[in-house]
């Protein structure tokens, strides 16, 4: 199963000419490519599929989706390599 998982962009950077980000998926952090979402910035929520941010969503939609995905913990663990924490922190982006 392939999932698009919402996460919050913590920071952005350039890697080999690609616009990249560190994204927080409710407590699990991974790298994602932002080339398909050029307007996404720090603090925005993006849906990531196979390492690529494919769209932006608002915080409420991201939270609802993460709640559903927590109920499907095996599928999420297969995508992220670890399960989502029971509740995700909503922290400020790190400098």
């Amino acid at each position: 199963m392939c999932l698009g998982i919402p996460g919050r962009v913590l920071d952005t950077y350039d890697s080999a000419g690609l616009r990249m980000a560190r994204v927080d998926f409710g407590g699990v952090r991974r790298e994602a490519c932002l080339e398909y979402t050029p307007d996404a910035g720090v603090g925005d929520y993006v849906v990531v599929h196979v390492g690529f941010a494919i769209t932006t969503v608002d915080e409420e939609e991201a939270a609802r989706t993460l709640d559903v995905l927590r109920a499907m913990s095996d599928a999420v663990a297969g995508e992220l390599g670890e399960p989502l924490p029971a509740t995700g922190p909503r922290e400020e982006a790190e400098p």
Side-chain angles (χ1 to χ4, degrees):
M1 174 188 291
C2 293
L3 298 173
I5 302 177
R8 187 170 54 86
V9 175
L10 298 176
D11 57 40
T12 63
Y13 56 93
D14 181 79
S15 178
L18 295 174
R19 188 163 176 261
M20 302 294 291
R22 191 167 52 104
V23 180
D24 178 33
F25 299 96
V28 176
R29 293 178 180 174
R30 295 287 183 265
E31 181 179 71
C33 180
L34 296 180
E35 287 294 315
Y36 298 136
T37 54
D39 295 332
V42 173
D44 290 335
Y45 287 81
V46 293
V47 174
V48 177
H49 176 67
V50 294
F52 290 85
I54 56 174
T55 191
T56 57
V57 293
D58 64 33
E59 182 177 5
E60 291 78 23
E61 180 64 23
R64 281 192 301 268
T65 302
L66 285 172
D67 288 342
V68 169
L69 292 173
R70 282 188 183 92
M72 301 171 28
S73 62
D74 290 341
V76 173
E79 285 293 309
L80 293 177
E82 61 185 280
L84 290 172
T87 58
R90 295 198 181 186
E91 62 194 5
E92 293 300 314
E94 297 174 4

